[in-house]
Amino acid sequence: MKFKNIITICLLVFCVSLFGQENNTVVDVFNKQPLNFNGEKGSDTEAHTLQSGRIVYKKVTVPNFPNGTDVSIKLTVRSNGDRWDKSGSCFVVADPKLISILDVSKGNKKFPKDSFKAENHAGIVVGETYQPVVELMRFMTPFGVGFYSDNRVKYRRPVYIPSWEKQVVWEHDISQLKDLVSNTFYIGVWIDSWTAEGYNFDLQLSYTNRARKTLKVLPLVNSIPYVNGQPIPDIFAKEPLVHNFNLNKNAKNVKLYYITTGHGGHSGGDEFIKIKNSVYFDNALVLDTIPWRDDCASFRRFNPTAGVWIKKDSAAYYEYKTQKRAVKVIEERIASSDLSRSNWCPGSSVKPMVIKLGDLKKGEHQLKIKIPATPVDGDKLNHWLVSAYLTYEE
């Protein structure tokens, strides 16, 4: 009897697995697509480039999934010769009927005045006719993965890494954004590359067709300077970002998704110092945290061209001849990719912080983000890349 039960269970598991596979929809949006500054554009005739090739986007059509679905995004990045770590963002245009960074980059539209903050910071917040793009994934390219993953940099490779990785792959569950990535939409990738070699990448979306509630999405803030004319966003060093907006209807189970990374790659820059992020919603403090990652050494295998220096250290070891423990001075490699940073590592993606806000009444609400950041000073380009959006049920 027990044997028959086991067989029945196994058959059920197999059928469920098979059924799930048959209902999965996988969309390969980009495949080995170049992204660079005034370099190769690639052969994909449906891919469009902006900002001299630093943005690549495409119009995509997928099923509607009327009963809802899980959605995941998979992004693979390889260096084409750019040896540096760079900020990156995969985004979706929330409402093509409104002005977006695509319209502004093409020169068809200008950022409306109600999208400005701190005088000259354009396109930061949602306005009556403009919406900032919604980030599907924030990421940071590693130093030179792929192009330099060979013996040309073998003397930088620590003994604990058998070989350099050939690419870096990130995968996120973005089911909360299903409403934006079904039917027909525009999806794009931006990397802050300033070399003609740049990178190439693959982008894939997967849908399970599993029934689940579809949420509404309201973009609020995005400080990433995707477009020419948007300055380095040191806005938080000048003043807190305060944004008033309206909900047209009552909203249930509201969540605030908040993505933040600090930058300024120099000694004492915002990339390398701990700075608190305080987020207020309707004057209530809902998030008070220091975004920080101290596990960057775990990404060493993705960073063949990271700067390396030697540091003397004392190491304890076992001496077989004397059968005693001893201490000796050794020299160890330290790579710039190992250093702790403001919520990111070279080769990492950045997941949103999620804050539950409960139910909200229709009408005016306020988001306030306070970061006591460091201003831009000459070539010390301190800034914070911050984006935020709401999800809710009507």
mmCIF file with all atom_site columns, all heavy atoms in Angstrom, residues 77 85-89 138-143 168 170 260-263 342-350 385:
data_model
loop_
_atom_site.group_PDB
_atom_site.id
_atom_site.type_symbol
_atom_site.label_atom_id
_atom_site.label_alt_id
_atom_site.label_comp_id
_atom_site.label_asym_id
_atom_site.label_entity_id
_atom_site.label_seq_id
_atom_site.pdbx_PDB_ins_code
_atom_site.Cartn_x
_atom_site.Cartn_y
_atom_site.Cartn_z
_atom_site.occupancy
_atom_site.B_iso_or_equiv
_atom_site.pdbx_formal_charge
_atom_site.auth_seq_id
_atom_site.auth_comp_id
_atom_site.auth_asym_id
_atom_site.auth_atom_id
_atom_site.pdbx_PDB_model_num
ATOM 1   N N   . VAL A 1 77  ? 25.390 39.625 -18.365 1.00 0.00 ? 77  VAL A N   1
ATOM 2   C CA  . VAL A 1 77  ? 26.248 40.710 -18.857 1.00 0.00 ? 77  VAL A CA  1
ATOM 3   C C   . VAL A 1 77  ? 27.673 40.204 -19.015 1.00 0.00 ? 77  VAL A C   1
ATOM 4   O O   . VAL A 1 77  ? 28.194 39.468 -18.161 1.00 0.00 ? 77  VAL A O   1
ATOM 5   C CB  . VAL A 1 77  ? 26.213 41.923 -17.904 1.00 0.00 ? 77  VAL A CB  1
ATOM 6   C CG1 . VAL A 1 77  ? 27.258 42.955 -18.294 1.00 0.00 ? 77  VAL A CG1 1
ATOM 7   C CG2 . VAL A 1 77  ? 24.821 42.560 -17.917 1.00 0.00 ? 77  VAL A CG2 1
ATOM 8   N N   . ASP A 1 85  ? 33.955 48.903 -13.458 1.00 0.00 ? 85  ASP A N   1
ATOM 9   C CA  . ASP A 1 85  ? 32.633 48.623 -12.889 1.00 0.00 ? 85  ASP A CA  1
ATOM 10  C C   . ASP A 1 85  ? 31.727 49.815 -13.195 1.00 0.00 ? 85  ASP A C   1
ATOM 11  O O   . ASP A 1 85  ? 32.127 50.960 -13.044 1.00 0.00 ? 85  ASP A O   1
ATOM 12  C CB  . ASP A 1 85  ? 32.719 48.358 -11.387 1.00 0.00 ? 85  ASP A CB  1
ATOM 13  C CG  . ASP A 1 85  ? 33.281 49.529 -10.599 1.00 0.00 ? 85  ASP A CG  1
ATOM 14  O OD1 . ASP A 1 85  ? 34.089 50.298 -11.162 1.00 0.00 ? 85  ASP A OD1 1
ATOM 15  O OD2 . ASP A 1 85  ? 32.913 49.698 -9.416  1.00 0.00 ? 85  ASP A OD2 1
ATOM 16  N N   . LYS A 1 86  ? 30.497 49.527 -13.625 1.00 0.00 ? 86  LYS A N   1
ATOM 17  C CA  . LYS A 1 86  ? 29.580 50.571 -14.060 1.00 0.00 ? 86  LYS A CA  1
ATOM 18  C C   . LYS A 1 86  ? 28.187 50.333 -13.498 1.00 0.00 ? 86  LYS A C   1
ATOM 19  O O   . LYS A 1 86  ? 27.742 49.191 -13.364 1.00 0.00 ? 86  LYS A O   1
ATOM 20  C CB  . LYS A 1 86  ? 29.493 50.602 -15.597 1.00 0.00 ? 86  LYS A CB  1
ATOM 21  C CG  . LYS A 1 86  ? 30.803 50.968 -16.292 1.00 0.00 ? 86  LYS A CG  1
ATOM 22  C CD  . LYS A 1 86  ? 31.219 52.396 -15.996 1.00 0.00 ? 86  LYS A CD  1
ATOM 23  C CE  . LYS A 1 86  ? 32.464 52.788 -16.790 1.00 0.00 ? 86  LYS A CE  1
ATOM 24  N NZ  . LYS A 1 86  ? 32.874 54.176 -16.504 1.00 0.00 ? 86  LYS A NZ  1
ATOM 25  N N   . SER A 1 87  ? 27.481 51.423 -13.220 1.00 0.00 ? 87  SER A N   1
ATOM 26  C CA  . SER A 1 87  ? 26.080 51.321 -12.815 1.00 0.00 ? 87  SER A CA  1
ATOM 27  C C   . SER A 1 87  ? 25.242 50.876 -14.000 1.00 0.00 ? 87  SER A C   1
ATOM 28  O O   . SER A 1 87  ? 25.508 51.250 -15.142 1.00 0.00 ? 87  SER A O   1
ATOM 29  C CB  . SER A 1 87  ? 25.568 52.684 -12.321 1.00 0.00 ? 87  SER A CB  1
ATOM 30  O OG  . SER A 1 87  ? 26.371 53.188 -11.289 1.00 0.00 ? 87  SER A OG  1
ATOM 31  N N   . GLY A 1 88  ? 24.206 50.082 -13.703 1.00 0.00 ? 88  GLY A N   1
ATOM 32  C CA  . GLY A 1 88  ? 23.315 49.620 -14.762 1.00 0.00 ? 88  GLY A CA  1
ATOM 33  C C   . GLY A 1 88  ? 21.879 49.552 -14.275 1.00 0.00 ? 88  GLY A C   1
ATOM 34  O O   . GLY A 1 88  ? 21.608 49.425 -13.077 1.00 0.00 ? 88  GLY A O   1
ATOM 35  N N   . SER A 1 89  ? 20.943 49.633 -15.217 1.00 0.00 ? 89  SER A N   1
ATOM 36  C CA  . SER A 1 89  ? 19.527 49.616 -14.877 1.00 0.00 ? 89  SER A CA  1
ATOM 37  C C   . SER A 1 89  ? 18.740 49.005 -16.025 1.00 0.00 ? 89  SER A C   1
ATOM 38  O O   . SER A 1 89  ? 18.885 49.421 -17.177 1.00 0.00 ? 89  SER A O   1
ATOM 39  C CB  . SER A 1 89  ? 19.032 51.043 -14.606 1.00 0.00 ? 89  SER A CB  1
ATOM 40  O OG  . SER A 1 89  ? 17.631 51.067 -14.407 1.00 0.00 ? 89  SER A OG  1
ATOM 41  N N   . ARG A 1 138 ? 18.148 46.826 -10.803 1.00 0.00 ? 138 ARG A N   1
ATOM 42  C CA  . ARG A 1 138 ? 19.379 47.624 -10.673 1.00 0.00 ? 138 ARG A CA  1
ATOM 43  C C   . ARG A 1 138 ? 20.547 46.647 -10.579 1.00 0.00 ? 138 ARG A C   1
ATOM 44  O O   . ARG A 1 138 ? 20.466 45.631 -9.888  1.00 0.00 ? 138 ARG A O   1
ATOM 45  C CB  . ARG A 1 138 ? 19.306 48.483 -9.407  1.00 0.00 ? 138 ARG A CB  1
ATOM 46  C CG  . ARG A 1 138 ? 20.581 49.273 -9.064  1.00 0.00 ? 138 ARG A CG  1
ATOM 47  C CD  . ARG A 1 138 ? 20.662 50.589 -9.787  1.00 0.00 ? 138 ARG A CD  1
ATOM 48  N NE  . ARG A 1 138 ? 19.480 51.398 -9.509  1.00 0.00 ? 138 ARG A NE  1
ATOM 49  C CZ  . ARG A 1 138 ? 19.325 52.194 -8.429  1.00 0.00 ? 138 ARG A CZ  1
ATOM 50  N NH1 . ARG A 1 138 ? 20.283 52.280 -7.517  1.00 0.00 ? 138 ARG A NH1 1
ATOM 51  N NH2 . ARG A 1 138 ? 18.225 52.896 -8.275  1.00 0.00 ? 138 ARG A NH2 1
ATOM 52  N N   . PHE A 1 139 ? 21.647 46.971 -11.247 1.00 0.00 ? 139 PHE A N   1
ATOM 53  C CA  . PHE A 1 139 ? 22.819 46.093 -11.196 1.00 0.00 ? 139 PHE A CA  1
ATOM 54  C C   . PHE A 1 139 ? 24.087 46.904 -11.357 1.00 0.00 ? 139 PHE A C   1
ATOM 55  O O   . PHE A 1 139 ? 24.049 48.072 -11.757 1.00 0.00 ? 139 PHE A O   1
ATOM 56  C CB  . PHE A 1 139 ? 22.732 45.009 -12.288 1.00 0.00 ? 139 PHE A CB  1
ATOM 57  C CG  . PHE A 1 139 ? 22.710 45.554 -13.697 1.00 0.00 ? 139 PHE A CG  1
ATOM 58  C CD1 . PHE A 1 139 ? 23.878 45.700 -14.432 1.00 0.00 ? 139 PHE A CD1 1
ATOM 59  C CD2 . PHE A 1 139 ? 21.507 45.922 -14.289 1.00 0.00 ? 139 PHE A CD2 1
ATOM 60  C CE1 . PHE A 1 139 ? 23.860 46.201 -15.722 1.00 0.00 ? 139 PHE A CE1 1
ATOM 61  C CE2 . PHE A 1 139 ? 21.471 46.430 -15.588 1.00 0.00 ? 139 PHE A CE2 1
ATOM 62  C CZ  . PHE A 1 139 ? 22.649 46.561 -16.309 1.00 0.00 ? 139 PHE A CZ  1
ATOM 63  N N   . MET A 1 140 ? 25.211 46.271 -11.023 1.00 0.00 ? 140 MET A N   1
ATOM 64  C CA  . MET A 1 140 ? 26.516 46.895 -11.180 1.00 0.00 ? 140 MET A CA  1
ATOM 65  C C   . MET A 1 140 ? 27.429 45.938 -11.935 1.00 0.00 ? 140 MET A C   1
ATOM 66  O O   . MET A 1 140 ? 27.627 44.798 -11.497 1.00 0.00 ? 140 MET A O   1
ATOM 67  C CB  . MET A 1 140 ? 27.140 47.214 -9.815  1.00 0.00 ? 140 MET A CB  1
ATOM 68  C CG  . MET A 1 140 ? 26.277 48.104 -8.957  1.00 0.00 ? 140 MET A CG  1
ATOM 69  S SD  . MET A 1 140 ? 26.113 49.776 -9.606  1.00 0.00 ? 140 MET A SD  1
ATOM 70  C CE  . MET A 1 140 ? 24.613 50.290 -8.745  1.00 0.00 ? 140 MET A CE  1
ATOM 71  N N   . THR A 1 141 ? 27.936 46.366 -13.068 1.00 0.00 ? 141 THR A N   1
ATOM 72  C CA  . THR A 1 141 ? 28.813 45.477 -13.815 1.00 0.00 ? 141 THR A CA  1
ATOM 73  C C   . THR A 1 141 ? 30.092 45.238 -13.011 1.00 0.00 ? 141 THR A C   1
ATOM 74  O O   . THR A 1 141 ? 30.575 46.130 -12.322 1.00 0.00 ? 141 THR A O   1
ATOM 75  C CB  . THR A 1 141 ? 29.198 46.063 -15.184 1.00 0.00 ? 141 THR A CB  1
ATOM 76  O OG1 . THR A 1 141 ? 30.109 47.151 -15.002 1.00 0.00 ? 141 THR A OG1 1
ATOM 77  C CG2 . THR A 1 141 ? 27.969 46.538 -15.940 1.00 0.00 ? 141 THR A CG2 1
ATOM 78  N N   . PRO A 1 142 ? 30.648 44.043 -13.095 1.00 0.00 ? 142 PRO A N   1
ATOM 79  C CA  . PRO A 1 142 ? 31.955 43.816 -12.470 1.00 0.00 ? 142 PRO A CA  1
ATOM 80  C C   . PRO A 1 142 ? 33.073 44.362 -13.350 1.00 0.00 ? 142 PRO A C   1
ATOM 81  O O   . PRO A 1 142 ? 32.840 44.870 -14.445 1.00 0.00 ? 142 PRO A O   1
ATOM 82  C CB  . PRO A 1 142 ? 32.010 42.293 -12.348 1.00 0.00 ? 142 PRO A CB  1
ATOM 83  C CG  . PRO A 1 142 ? 31.147 41.786 -13.449 1.00 0.00 ? 142 PRO A CG  1
ATOM 84  C CD  . PRO A 1 142 ? 30.075 42.828 -13.674 1.00 0.00 ? 142 PRO A CD  1
ATOM 85  N N   . PHE A 1 143 ? 34.288 44.229 -12.868 1.00 0.00 ? 143 PHE A N   1
ATOM 86  C CA  . PHE A 1 143 ? 35.459 44.691 -13.605 1.00 0.00 ? 143 PHE A CA  1
ATOM 87  C C   . PHE A 1 143 ? 35.855 43.649 -14.661 1.00 0.00 ? 143 PHE A C   1
ATOM 88  O O   . PHE A 1 143 ? 36.495 42.645 -14.346 1.00 0.00 ? 143 PHE A O   1
ATOM 89  C CB  . PHE A 1 143 ? 36.640 44.906 -12.655 1.00 0.00 ? 143 PHE A CB  1
ATOM 90  C CG  . PHE A 1 143 ? 36.530 46.086 -11.731 1.00 0.00 ? 143 PHE A CG  1
ATOM 91  C CD1 . PHE A 1 143 ? 35.928 45.963 -10.491 1.00 0.00 ? 143 PHE A CD1 1
ATOM 92  C CD2 . PHE A 1 143 ? 37.060 47.320 -12.087 1.00 0.00 ? 143 PHE A CD2 1
ATOM 93  C CE1 . PHE A 1 143 ? 35.857 47.040 -9.618  1.00 0.00 ? 143 PHE A CE1 1
ATOM 94  C CE2 . PHE A 1 143 ? 36.980 48.406 -11.223 1.00 0.00 ? 143 PHE A CE2 1
ATOM 95  C CZ  . PHE A 1 143 ? 36.382 48.271 -9.987  1.00 0.00 ? 143 PHE A CZ  1
ATOM 96  N N   . VAL A 1 168 ? 28.370 37.352 -15.893 1.00 0.00 ? 168 VAL A N   1
ATOM 97  C CA  . VAL A 1 168 ? 27.650 37.476 -14.629 1.00 0.00 ? 168 VAL A CA  1
ATOM 98  C C   . VAL A 1 168 ? 26.159 37.408 -14.940 1.00 0.00 ? 168 VAL A C   1
ATOM 99  O O   . VAL A 1 168 ? 25.691 37.992 -15.924 1.00 0.00 ? 168 VAL A O   1
ATOM 100 C CB  . VAL A 1 168 ? 28.015 38.778 -13.882 1.00 0.00 ? 168 VAL A CB  1
ATOM 101 C CG1 . VAL A 1 168 ? 27.704 40.018 -14.706 1.00 0.00 ? 168 VAL A CG1 1
ATOM 102 C CG2 . VAL A 1 168 ? 27.334 38.848 -12.529 1.00 0.00 ? 168 VAL A CG2 1
ATOM 103 N N   . TRP A 1 170 ? 22.153 37.571 -13.311 1.00 0.00 ? 170 TRP A N   1
ATOM 104 C CA  . TRP A 1 170 ? 21.259 37.926 -12.211 1.00 0.00 ? 170 TRP A CA  1
ATOM 105 C C   . TRP A 1 170 ? 19.839 37.523 -12.583 1.00 0.00 ? 170 TRP A C   1
ATOM 106 O O   . TRP A 1 170 ? 19.437 37.658 -13.741 1.00 0.00 ? 170 TRP A O   1
ATOM 107 C CB  . TRP A 1 170 ? 21.281 39.431 -11.930 1.00 0.00 ? 170 TRP A CB  1
ATOM 108 C CG  . TRP A 1 170 ? 22.639 39.996 -11.679 1.00 0.00 ? 170 TRP A CG  1
ATOM 109 C CD1 . TRP A 1 170 ? 23.422 39.830 -10.571 1.00 0.00 ? 170 TRP A CD1 1
ATOM 110 C CD2 . TRP A 1 170 ? 23.392 40.860 -12.549 1.00 0.00 ? 170 TRP A CD2 1
ATOM 111 N NE1 . TRP A 1 170 ? 24.598 40.522 -10.694 1.00 0.00 ? 170 TRP A NE1 1
ATOM 112 C CE2 . TRP A 1 170 ? 24.609 41.164 -11.902 1.00 0.00 ? 170 TRP A CE2 1
ATOM 113 C CE3 . TRP A 1 170 ? 23.142 41.405 -13.809 1.00 0.00 ? 170 TRP A CE3 1
ATOM 114 C CZ2 . TRP A 1 170 ? 25.575 41.985 -12.470 1.00 0.00 ? 170 TRP A CZ2 1
ATOM 115 C CZ3 . TRP A 1 170 ? 24.102 42.217 -14.384 1.00 0.00 ? 170 TRP A CZ3 1
ATOM 116 C CH2 . TRP A 1 170 ? 25.305 42.509 -13.716 1.00 0.00 ? 170 TRP A CH2 1
ATOM 117 N N   . THR A 1 260 ? 18.154 51.811 -3.745  1.00 0.00 ? 260 THR A N   1
ATOM 118 C CA  . THR A 1 260 ? 19.120 52.878 -3.479  1.00 0.00 ? 260 THR A CA  1
ATOM 119 C C   . THR A 1 260 ? 20.548 52.350 -3.534  1.00 0.00 ? 260 THR A C   1
ATOM 120 O O   . THR A 1 260 ? 20.844 51.250 -3.060  1.00 0.00 ? 260 THR A O   1
ATOM 121 C CB  . THR A 1 260 ? 18.853 53.525 -2.104  1.00 0.00 ? 260 THR A CB  1
ATOM 122 O OG1 . THR A 1 260 ? 19.786 54.589 -1.885  1.00 0.00 ? 260 THR A OG1 1
ATOM 123 C CG2 . THR A 1 260 ? 18.969 52.510 -0.979  1.00 0.00 ? 260 THR A CG2 1
ATOM 124 N N   . THR A 1 261 ? 21.436 53.138 -4.142  1.00 0.00 ? 261 THR A N   1
ATOM 125 C CA  . THR A 1 261 ? 22.872 52.843 -4.150  1.00 0.00 ? 261 THR A CA  1
ATOM 126 C C   . THR A 1 261 ? 23.636 54.159 -4.106  1.00 0.00 ? 261 THR A C   1
ATOM 127 O O   . THR A 1 261 ? 23.262 55.130 -4.765  1.00 0.00 ? 261 THR A O   1
ATOM 128 C CB  . THR A 1 261 ? 23.298 52.053 -5.403  1.00 0.00 ? 261 THR A CB  1
ATOM 129 O OG1 . THR A 1 261 ? 22.803 52.701 -6.591  1.00 0.00 ? 261 THR A OG1 1
ATOM 130 C CG2 . THR A 1 261 ? 22.755 50.630 -5.362  1.00 0.00 ? 261 THR A CG2 1
ATOM 131 N N   . GLY A 1 262 ? 24.726 54.177 -3.345  1.00 0.00 ? 262 GLY A N   1
ATOM 132 C CA  . GLY A 1 262 ? 25.567 55.359 -3.239  1.00 0.00 ? 262 GLY A CA  1
ATOM 133 C C   . GLY A 1 262 ? 26.803 55.231 -4.104  1.00 0.00 ? 262 GLY A C   1
ATOM 134 O O   . GLY A 1 262 ? 27.377 54.147 -4.246  1.00 0.00 ? 262 GLY A O   1
ATOM 135 N N   . HIS A 1 263 ? 27.252 56.370 -4.681  1.00 0.00 ? 263 HIS A N   1
ATOM 136 C CA  . HIS A 1 263 ? 28.359 56.353 -5.640  1.00 0.00 ? 263 HIS A CA  1
ATOM 137 C C   . HIS A 1 263 ? 29.297 57.526 -5.387  1.00 0.00 ? 263 HIS A C   1
ATOM 138 O O   . HIS A 1 263 ? 28.921 58.538 -4.814  1.00 0.00 ? 263 HIS A O   1
ATOM 139 C CB  . HIS A 1 263 ? 27.814 56.396 -7.063  1.00 0.00 ? 263 HIS A CB  1
ATOM 140 C CG  . HIS A 1 263 ? 26.854 55.276 -7.346  1.00 0.00 ? 263 HIS A CG  1
ATOM 141 N ND1 . HIS A 1 263 ? 27.247 54.068 -7.859  1.00 0.00 ? 263 HIS A ND1 1
ATOM 142 C CD2 . HIS A 1 263 ? 25.514 55.179 -7.134  1.00 0.00 ? 263 HIS A CD2 1
ATOM 143 C CE1 . HIS A 1 263 ? 26.195 53.273 -7.959  1.00 0.00 ? 263 HIS A CE1 1
ATOM 144 N NE2 . HIS A 1 263 ? 25.131 53.927 -7.535  1.00 0.00 ? 263 HIS A NE2 1
ATOM 145 N N   . SER A 1 342 ? 28.237 51.150 -0.622  1.00 0.00 ? 342 SER A N   1
ATOM 146 C CA  . SER A 1 342 ? 26.900 51.622 -0.264  1.00 0.00 ? 342 SER A CA  1
ATOM 147 C C   . SER A 1 342 ? 25.812 50.854 -1.010  1.00 0.00 ? 342 SER A C   1
ATOM 148 O O   . SER A 1 342 ? 25.264 51.320 -2.010  1.00 0.00 ? 342 SER A O   1
ATOM 149 C CB  . SER A 1 342 ? 26.772 53.128 -0.543  1.00 0.00 ? 342 SER A CB  1
ATOM 150 O OG  . SER A 1 342 ? 27.606 53.863 0.322   1.00 0.00 ? 342 SER A OG  1
ATOM 151 N N   . ASN A 1 343 ? 25.550 49.628 -0.514  1.00 0.00 ? 343 ASN A N   1
ATOM 152 C CA  . ASN A 1 343 ? 24.446 48.772 -0.963  1.00 0.00 ? 343 ASN A CA  1
ATOM 153 C C   . ASN A 1 343 ? 24.700 48.079 -2.286  1.00 0.00 ? 343 ASN A C   1
ATOM 154 O O   . ASN A 1 343 ? 23.763 47.624 -2.943  1.00 0.00 ? 343 ASN A O   1
ATOM 155 C CB  . ASN A 1 343 ? 23.129 49.554 -1.053  1.00 0.00 ? 343 ASN A CB  1
ATOM 156 C CG  . ASN A 1 343 ? 21.918 48.651 -0.876  1.00 0.00 ? 343 ASN A CG  1
ATOM 157 O OD1 . ASN A 1 343 ? 21.950 47.698 -0.094  1.00 0.00 ? 343 ASN A OD1 1
ATOM 158 N ND2 . ASN A 1 343 ? 20.845 48.936 -1.586  1.00 0.00 ? 343 ASN A ND2 1
ATOM 159 N N   . TRP A 1 344 ? 25.973 47.965 -2.701  1.00 0.00 ? 344 TRP A N   1
ATOM 160 C CA  . TRP A 1 344 ? 26.277 47.230 -3.925  1.00 0.00 ? 344 TRP A CA  1
ATOM 161 C C   . TRP A 1 344 ? 27.714 46.751 -3.913  1.00 0.00 ? 344 TRP A C   1
ATOM 162 O O   . TRP A 1 344 ? 28.547 47.218 -3.144  1.00 0.00 ? 344 TRP A O   1
ATOM 163 C CB  . TRP A 1 344 ? 26.031 48.088 -5.169  1.00 0.00 ? 344 TRP A CB  1
ATOM 164 C CG  . TRP A 1 344 ? 26.872 49.331 -5.283  1.00 0.00 ? 344 TRP A CG  1
ATOM 165 C CD1 . TRP A 1 344 ? 26.644 50.548 -4.702  1.00 0.00 ? 344 TRP A CD1 1
ATOM 166 C CD2 . TRP A 1 344 ? 28.085 49.479 -6.043  1.00 0.00 ? 344 TRP A CD2 1
ATOM 167 N NE1 . TRP A 1 344 ? 27.626 51.444 -5.053  1.00 0.00 ? 344 TRP A NE1 1
ATOM 168 C CE2 . TRP A 1 344 ? 28.519 50.816 -5.879  1.00 0.00 ? 344 TRP A CE2 1
ATOM 169 C CE3 . TRP A 1 344 ? 28.833 48.622 -6.844  1.00 0.00 ? 344 TRP A CE3 1
ATOM 170 C CZ2 . TRP A 1 344 ? 29.674 51.312 -6.486  1.00 0.00 ? 344 TRP A CZ2 1
ATOM 171 C CZ3 . TRP A 1 344 ? 29.985 49.106 -7.455  1.00 0.00 ? 344 TRP A CZ3 1
ATOM 172 C CH2 . TRP A 1 344 ? 30.387 50.439 -7.276  1.00 0.00 ? 344 TRP A CH2 1
ATOM 173 N N   . CYS A 1 345 ? 27.982 45.786 -4.779  1.00 0.00 ? 345 CYS A N   1
ATOM 174 C CA  . CYS A 1 345 ? 29.331 45.283 -5.025  1.00 0.00 ? 345 CYS A CA  1
ATOM 175 C C   . CYS A 1 345 ? 29.530 45.204 -6.537  1.00 0.00 ? 345 CYS A C   1
ATOM 176 O O   . CYS A 1 345 ? 28.559 45.009 -7.276  1.00 0.00 ? 345 CYS A O   1
ATOM 177 C CB  . CYS A 1 345 ? 29.513 43.881 -4.442  1.00 0.00 ? 345 CYS A CB  1
ATOM 178 S SG  . CYS A 1 345 ? 29.270 43.751 -2.664  1.00 0.00 ? 345 CYS A SG  1
ATOM 179 N N   . PRO A 1 346 ? 30.742 45.341 -7.039  1.00 0.00 ? 346 PRO A N   1
ATOM 180 C CA  . PRO A 1 346 ? 30.970 45.117 -8.469  1.00 0.00 ? 346 PRO A CA  1
ATOM 181 C C   . PRO A 1 346 ? 30.602 43.670 -8.841  1.00 0.00 ? 346 PRO A C   1
ATOM 182 O O   . PRO A 1 346 ? 31.209 42.726 -8.363  1.00 0.00 ? 346 PRO A O   1
ATOM 183 C CB  . PRO A 1 346 ? 32.475 45.363 -8.628  1.00 0.00 ? 346 PRO A CB  1
ATOM 184 C CG  . PRO A 1 346 ? 32.833 46.272 -7.490  1.00 0.00 ? 346 PRO A CG  1
ATOM 185 C CD  . PRO A 1 346 ? 31.970 45.819 -6.354  1.00 0.00 ? 346 PRO A CD  1
ATOM 186 N N   . GLY A 1 347 ? 29.554 43.535 -9.647  1.00 0.00 ? 347 GLY A N   1
ATOM 187 C CA  . GLY A 1 347 ? 29.060 42.208 -10.005 1.00 0.00 ? 347 GLY A CA  1
ATOM 188 C C   . GLY A 1 347 ? 27.780 41.821 -9.308  1.00 0.00 ? 347 GLY A C   1
ATOM 189 O O   . GLY A 1 347 ? 27.271 40.718 -9.522  1.00 0.00 ? 347 GLY A O   1
ATOM 190 N N   . SER A 1 348 ? 27.204 42.724 -8.516  1.00 0.00 ? 348 SER A N   1
ATOM 191 C CA  . SER A 1 348 ? 25.967 42.398 -7.797  1.00 0.00 ? 348 SER A CA  1
ATOM 192 C C   . SER A 1 348 ? 24.770 43.079 -8.456  1.00 0.00 ? 348 SER A C   1
ATOM 193 O O   . SER A 1 348 ? 24.904 44.089 -9.141  1.00 0.00 ? 348 SER A O   1
ATOM 194 C CB  . SER A 1 348 ? 26.045 42.847 -6.337  1.00 0.00 ? 348 SER A CB  1
ATOM 195 O OG  . SER A 1 348 ? 25.829 44.244 -6.216  1.00 0.00 ? 348 SER A OG  1
ATOM 196 N N   . SER A 1 349 ? 23.594 42.507 -8.228  1.00 0.00 ? 349 SER A N   1
ATOM 197 C CA  . SER A 1 349 ? 22.350 43.223 -8.497  1.00 0.00 ? 349 SER A CA  1
ATOM 198 C C   . SER A 1 349 ? 21.884 43.838 -7.177  1.00 0.00 ? 349 SER A C   1
ATOM 199 O O   . SER A 1 349 ? 22.458 43.571 -6.117  1.00 0.00 ? 349 SER A O   1
ATOM 200 C CB  . SER A 1 349 ? 21.284 42.279 -9.066  1.00 0.00 ? 349 SER A CB  1
ATOM 201 O OG  . SER A 1 349 ? 20.991 41.244 -8.147  1.00 0.00 ? 349 SER A OG  1
ATOM 202 N N   . VAL A 1 350 ? 20.862 44.657 -7.245  1.00 0.00 ? 350 VAL A N   1
ATOM 203 C CA  . VAL A 1 350 ? 20.384 45.377 -6.064  1.00 0.00 ? 350 VAL A CA  1
ATOM 204 C C   . VAL A 1 350 ? 18.885 45.161 -5.946  1.00 0.00 ? 350 VAL A C   1
ATOM 205 O O   . VAL A 1 350 ? 18.128 45.605 -6.814  1.00 0.00 ? 350 VAL A O   1
ATOM 206 C CB  . VAL A 1 350 ? 20.695 46.893 -6.156  1.00 0.00 ? 350 VAL A CB  1
ATOM 207 C CG1 . VAL A 1 350 ? 20.271 47.601 -4.871  1.00 0.00 ? 350 VAL A CG1 1
ATOM 208 C CG2 . VAL A 1 350 ? 22.173 47.114 -6.440  1.00 0.00 ? 350 VAL A CG2 1
ATOM 209 N N   . LEU A 1 385 ? 21.815 56.982 -6.589  1.00 0.00 ? 385 LEU A N   1
ATOM 210 C CA  . LEU A 1 385 ? 20.820 56.523 -7.547  1.00 0.00 ? 385 LEU A CA  1
ATOM 211 C C   . LEU A 1 385 ? 19.672 55.902 -6.757  1.00 0.00 ? 385 LEU A C   1
ATOM 212 O O   . LEU A 1 385 ? 19.838 54.867 -6.107  1.00 0.00 ? 385 LEU A O   1
ATOM 213 C CB  . LEU A 1 385 ? 21.424 55.503 -8.512  1.00 0.00 ? 385 LEU A CB  1
ATOM 214 C CG  . LEU A 1 385 ? 22.631 55.993 -9.331  1.00 0.00 ? 385 LEU A CG  1
ATOM 215 C CD1 . LEU A 1 385 ? 23.131 54.888 -10.257 1.00 0.00 ? 385 LEU A CD1 1
ATOM 216 C CD2 . LEU A 1 385 ? 22.294 57.252 -10.128 1.00 0.00 ? 385 LEU A CD2 1
#
